[in-house]
């Protein structure tokens, strides 16, 4: 294809059916002819590659790459970006599906406002509930409270952190948006060095958005576009899940890394 406008990165890890659905939704976008799709298999070590290749082999704008081992979410997307040629990069999880004109609308917003660095859609669960994907920068106490029954006692604190007290249908600047689905200028992504590779899983999106603000660009929640998102999260679980789920332990490990990296910095953005 000619120079693509958007490079979509879909990182697969043992979810081939979701990956194929996500890619086919991307191929149905209104600007699909300006889109290249890079599927990165993060060493699933199952039948993912075979199933993905069999289902997507007839689409020339889809490229499939493999990592030699599971290198994590941030590094996996960084690896995919090295194959990208688009002006913009779409990071999208396999369990997310964008509405048909979603990419076109987000690209249009970026083209009309060069101050925007990252833009992300409203994320809706299949049961019609909203995912709180736009948040204030976390504090260590907020992360702890969210995982314990204390969240019921400190509701105002949670409302601020998870931004429950904001209109979910309003386009606005936010501290950070979930890495499940967002669009970023590829030159900015490269300027920032992509996701910080020290984060294996979790908090890499928070960290990236923080660096976007630090670079003088804005992070925008854009609910004029919607994407579906699965309800159960890898990081789900209360405090005691640290003893039973490796993903919860990884979430807490990444939290420690994040707060150490940004120690001495205010939890609020300055702009």
């Amino acid at each position: 294809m000619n120079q693509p406008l958007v490079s979509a990165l879909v990182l697969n890890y043992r979810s081939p059916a979701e990956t194929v659905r996500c890619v086919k939704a991307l191929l149905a976008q209104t600007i699909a002819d300006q889109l290249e799709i890079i599927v990165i298999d993060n060493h699933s070590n199952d039948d993912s590659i075979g199933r993905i290749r069999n289902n997507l082999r007839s689409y020339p704008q889809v490229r499939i790459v493999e990592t030699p081992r599971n290198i994590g979410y941030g590094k996996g997307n960084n690896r995919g970006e090295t194959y990208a040629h688009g002006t913009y990069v779409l990071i999208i999880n396999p369990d997310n599906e964008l509405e048909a004109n979603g990419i076109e609308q987000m690209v249009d917003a970026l083209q009309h406002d060069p101050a925007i660095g990252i833009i992300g859609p409203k994320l809706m669960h299949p049961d019609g509930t909203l995912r709180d994907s736009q948040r204030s920068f976390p504090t260590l106490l907020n992360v702890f409270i969210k995982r314990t029954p204390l969240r019921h006692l400190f509701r105002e604190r949670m409302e601020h952190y998870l931004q429950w007290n904001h209109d979910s249908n309003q386009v606005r600047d936010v501290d950070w948006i979930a890495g499940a689905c967002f669009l970023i200028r590829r030159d900015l992504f490269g300027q920032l060095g992509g996701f910080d590779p020290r984060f294996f899983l979790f908090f890499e999106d928070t960290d990236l958005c923080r660096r976007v603000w630090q670079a003088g660009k804005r992070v925008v929640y854009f609910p004029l576009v919607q994407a579906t998102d699965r309800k159960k999260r890898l990081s789900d679980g209360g405090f005691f899940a640290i003893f039973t789920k490796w993903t919860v332990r990884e979430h807490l490990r990444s939290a420690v890394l994040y707060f150490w990296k940004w120690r001495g910095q205010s939890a609020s953005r300055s702009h």
Side-chain angles (χ1 to χ4, degrees):
M1 67 183 304
N2 295 327
Q3 181 76 18
L5 179 63
V6 177
S7 300
L9 308 183
V10 184
L11 184 68
N12 173 75
Y13 183 71
R14 299 183 178 180
S15 55
E18 290 181 335
T19 296
V20 170
R21 282 197 300 270
C22 175
V23 170
K24 288 188 174 179
L26 292 173
L27 290 166
Q29 288 289 306
T30 53
I31 57 169
D33 60 336
Q34 301 178 69
L35 183 69
E36 67 172 354
I37 303 169
I38 301 163
V39 177
I40 311 102
D41 183 69
N42 207 3
H43 199 66
S44 296
N45 200 24
D46 60 5
D47 64 349
S48 287
I49 279 293
R51 292 174 63 183
I52 291 170
R53 290 191 188 282
N54 285 339
N55 281 278
L56 301 177
R57 65 175 56 185
S58 61
Y59 302 101
Q61 68 206 86
V62 179
R63 178 169 189 165
I64 301 167
V65 298
E66 301 178 58
T67 63
R69 64 185 187 284
N70 183 351
I71 57 178
Y73 181 84
K75 275 188 177 181
N77 278 297
N78 288 350
R79 177 70 62 85
E81 191 273 334
T82 64
Y83 296 92
H85 299 92
T87 303
Y88 306 97
V89 170
L90 177 75
I91 304 289
I92 184 166
N93 283 355
D95 59 333
N96 280 234
E97 292 182 38
L98 270 167
E99 58 183 307
N101 65 348
I103 297 178
E104 183 176 12
Q105 287 194 72
M106 290 193 291
V107 165
D108 186 65
L110 287 178
Q111 288 178 332
H112 282 83
D113 191 344
I116 301 175
I118 285 182
I119 191 168
K122 176 193 289 189
L123 299 184
M124 299 295 296
H125 298 305
D127 63 3
T129 57
L130 174 73
R131 178 181 174 188
D132 46 20
S133 60
Q134 68 288 349
R135 303 185 180 186
S136 302
F137 285 131
T139 65
L140 187 56
L141 185 58
N142 284 346
V143 173
F144 174 77
I145 289 174
K146 184 175 179 290
R147 288 194 168 278
T148 69
L150 290 173
R151 64 185 178 274
H152 302 297
L153 297 176
F154 292 92
R155 183 168 179 83
E156 286 188 9
R157 194 178 187 103
M158 289 296 96
E159 285 179 349
H160 172 72
Y161 172 41
L162 302 176
Q163 305 215 343
W164 292 339
N165 52 351
H166 288 274
D167 183 355
S168 63
N169 295 312
Q170 179 184 356
V171 176
R172 59 192 174 86
D173 290 0
V174 295
D175 284 356
W176 69 281
I177 53 177
C181 183
F182 67 78
L183 190 71
I184 185 171
R185 303 176 192 277
R186 188 164 66 91
D187 59 356
L188 177 60
F189 192 76
Q191 172 191 332
L192 298 174
F195 290 111
D196 186 330
R198 291 175 292 179
F199 295 93
F200 183 83
L201 187 63
F202 308 119
F203 280 88
E204 66 286 299
D205 45 7
T206 318
D207 172 77
L208 179 66
C209 288
R210 189 155 194 161
R211 289 185 286 127
V212 166
W213 279 112
Q214 196 176 56
K217 297 293 185 180
R218 294 161 47 215
V219 177
V220 173
Y221 168 65
F222 195 71
L224 302 181
V225 170
Q226 292 189 24
T228 59
D229 184 65
R230 71 179 174 194
K231 191 159 191 175
K232 189 172 180 59
R233 312 307 311 163
L234 289 174
S235 59
D236 283 350
F239 179 76
F240 291 104
I242 189 173
F243 301 109
T244 58
K245 290 182 67 175
W246 78 267
T247 51
V248 174
R249 293 194 295 272
E250 186 60 36
H251 187 265
L252 294 175
R253 188 198 73 83
S254 292
V256 170
L257 175 60
Y258 171 83
F259 290 115
W260 178 254
K261 176 178 179 178
W262 293 100
R263 64 192 183 280
Q265 300 286 325
S266 171
S268 299
R269 67 179 186 267
S270 57
H271 63 284

